[in-house]
Amino acid sequence: MLVAAVALAGAAPAARGAELDAALKAELASPYREARVAGEADLAKRAVETPGLLKECLAAPEPATRRSAARVLAARPDPALAEALSTAFLAEGDAVVRAALAEALAAQPDALAAVKGRVVEARSPELRAAFDRAVDVALATRLAGKVREGRVPGFYDDQFSDLWTVDAQAAERILAFAHDDALHHVFRVVATMALSETKRPTLEKELGDLVLDERDELDAAHDSAFDRRIGAAEILRFRSFDLSRYARFSLAKAGITAPILRLIAVIDQILANRSAQAMMAQSVTSDSPAFYEVEYLRGLLFESGYYFQQFDDYANAEKRYRDLIRRFPTSQACENAYYNLACICAIQGRRTEAFDALRKAIRAGFTNANWLLEDGDLKSLRGDPEFNSLVEEARTGLRDDSGRFWATRLQPYLPAGTQSFFDLRPDLQAAVWTVAGDKLTPAEKQRVVDDAPPADRARLRTLILGDGH
């Protein structure tokens, strides 16, 4: 094969693009997967070196060559070959090759959309089935791409916008994904989330069979938190309540709030019960017999705020987060309450409060640094040195006990145009400190004194630390 490849490489450009050598054709047509994969890798390399090669391969007489060209294009889409790919797909008579061409089209949504009219005109059931499969693959690939580290994404504005240009019936296809219990659960959840962007007036009815009775949903959530068995029945029950919750979220994001308000109302009924109130008020540690039940009820208070947040009722969400933090400051649920409070403050432009809440979330246990960098709710904070410091703290678990960021913390409180706290007159320093002093950690306060000009150090020690030593 090496001799043939060298001879082919030394031929004139037109001859090089005209055909593949016999050894490569044999690999592409081999019944053995390893040989075909090696041949396709060789074909992909030659396609880079020889413009026009893949176009000719798409029209080659050998089905194996056409199929392999399609597989190369599926892995490495080339917009310049969109028309050639469409033409090959429409003309293909071999079912296996047609399926490969459909996968290549799925990787190029523009080409897929452009060919639809010609597929309809062809009136071929086989061609239409292959096209529909290509659309499903294109949508599924884009949906799966939203998943990060096995987790569903948050709800961000227009994050699913790339789906709706794939096909006019994209919403119907995604609705079918959401209801297909043969698909992976996380994939179904993401499909359910995507439907919120459609704003379909029929969405409540279309997702209705995914939404459980409120008591059933909360009972399933409770049992999944306490039942340590992981049998088939438990898994199915978890999936049903998880899908129900995300269906409510999706409807709420689409402006249909009744299903999620019903759930909040039931949570409020549970938490208003005297026995639940007494349980929540218990002082417990992680080894207390009642720990998990207490934390579950406190978590319900957090969840009710989180549900309000799904349809941007930030006032009610914040009220419940702050209620949780005030009443149960040692609860595990405070980690998420602080984090979501930071999101609300960031969205509303309350930067100082956002940083304060985010810091408390991290020090309460929040460690997902990648989520901090991806969460659209926190985009107004990115680029600030304080945000970068908090991301690093979440990533490493190490706090900034050196206090080195004290200047960044004080900057928002300085008069416009002031470069440094030390540039202010003593009376202005005192005024700034009255407003902002409680925002700094003890380490940061000590660092201010240590960094002060020697002549001012004694005075600032008295102002900041309250002593003259």
Side-chain angles (χ1 to χ4, degrees), residues 20 30 82 109 138 151 168 205 211 220-221 258 276 314 328 356 398 453:
L20 301 177
S30 172
R151 303 182 182 186
K205 181 178 180 181
V211 178
Y314 297 133
F328 314 114
D356 182 62
L398 300 176

Side-chain angles (χ1 to χ4, degrees), residues 52-134:
L53 179 59
L54 284 182
K55 182 177 181 180
E56 295 186 21
C57 288
L58 288 171
E62 303 87 5
T65 301
R66 301 196 301 273
R67 179 192 62 195
S68 295
R71 287 172 57 83
V72 169
L73 283 172
R76 303 180 185 182
D78 184 351
L81 293 178
E83 179 58 32
L85 180 60
S86 299
T87 300
F89 176 73
L90 292 165
E92 186 56 59
D94 185 294
V96 174
V97 179
R98 188 188 301 118
L101 290 164
E103 289 188 20
L105 279 173
Q108 298 196 50
D110 291 342
L112 189 63
V115 80
K116 181 175 182 178
R118 296 158 70 184
V119 170
V120 173
E121 291 174 2
R123 299 180 181 276
S124 165
E126 295 81 10
L127 195 61
R128 183 56 191 250
F131 174 83
D132 288 343
R133 174 63 178 166

Side-chain angles (χ1 to χ4, degrees), residues 24 68 90 100 126 178 187 216 244 350 360 363 402 430:
L24 180 53
S68 295
L90 292 165
E126 295 81 10
F187 183 82
D216 289 344
S244 179
R350 297 151 57 192
K360 289 175 179 176
R363 295 180 182 178
S402 71

Side-chain angles (χ1 to χ4, degrees), residues 163-318:
L163 301 176
W164 317 122
T165 58
V166 173
D167 186 68
Q169 281 74 49
E172 285 75 9
R173 295 174 185 274
I174 293 172
L175 191 62
F177 291 160
H179 287 83
D180 190 344
D181 58 10
L183 297 176
H184 194 286
H185 174 68
V186 172
F187 183 82
R188 293 180 67 193
V189 167
V190 177
T192 302
M193 292 172 66
L195 290 165
S196 66
E197 290 189 1
T198 66
K199 310 292 184 184
R200 292 159 66 93
T202 54
L203 193 58
E204 184 171 11
K205 181 178 180 181
E206 291 165 339
L207 291 180
D209 62 332
L210 296 182
V211 178
L212 302 177
D213 172 82
E214 286 71 35
R215 287 283 178 176
D216 289 344
E217 182 173 329
L218 290 172
D219 286 346
H222 176 276
D223 292 349
S224 72
F226 289 89
D227 195 340
R228 298 296 176 247
R229 295 173 297 173
I230 313 179
E234 289 76 28
I235 292 173
L236 287 174
R237 197 173 186 210
F238 166 79
R239 289 175 178 172
S240 66
F241 105 73
D242 199 40
L243 267 173
S244 179
R245 177 176 58 175
Y246 276 99
R248 292 183 203 270
F249 289 171
S250 189
L251 290 168
K253 294 294 183 183
I256 303 169
T257 59
I260 207 163
L261 286 172
R262 291 197 304 267
L263 189 62
I264 293 171
V266 174
I267 290 175
D268 286 348
Q269 290 173 10
I270 293 171
L271 297 183
N273 183 279
R274 288 185 178 181
S275 62
Q277 288 287 323
M279 179 71 73
M280 293 171 72
Q282 289 188 40
S283 178
V284 293
T285 59
S286 59
D287 57 352
S288 301
F291 176 77
Y292 290 106
E293 191 66 46
V294 170
E295 281 299 297
Y296 174 77
L297 290 170
R298 293 172 177 176
L300 278 183
L301 178 55
F302 163 79
E303 292 288 344
S304 66
Y306 185 59
Y307 293 152
F308 274 116
Q309 194 171 347
Q310 298 312 303
F311 55 97
D312 300 342
D313 187 343
Y314 297 133
N316 269 313
E318 180 171 348

Side-chain angles (χ1 to χ4, degrees), residues 5-17:
V6 170
L8 194 62
R16 277 194 294 155

Side-chain angles (χ1 to χ4, degrees), residues 316-358:
N316 269 313
E318 180 171 348
K319 179 182 178 181
R320 289 170 185 244
Y321 296 151
R322 292 195 182 279
D323 187 32
L324 171 67
I325 292 165
R326 177 182 58 82
R327 293 169 60 193
F328 314 114
T330 62
S331 171
Q332 292 180 337
C334 286
E335 172 191 331
N336 288 328
Y338 277 125
Y339 181 85
N340 282 16
L341 189 56
C343 290
I344 290 173
C345 292
I347 289 169
Q348 296 181 337
R350 297 151 57 192
R351 292 176 62 83
T352 301
E353 292 177 81
F355 278 125
D356 182 62
L358 193 56

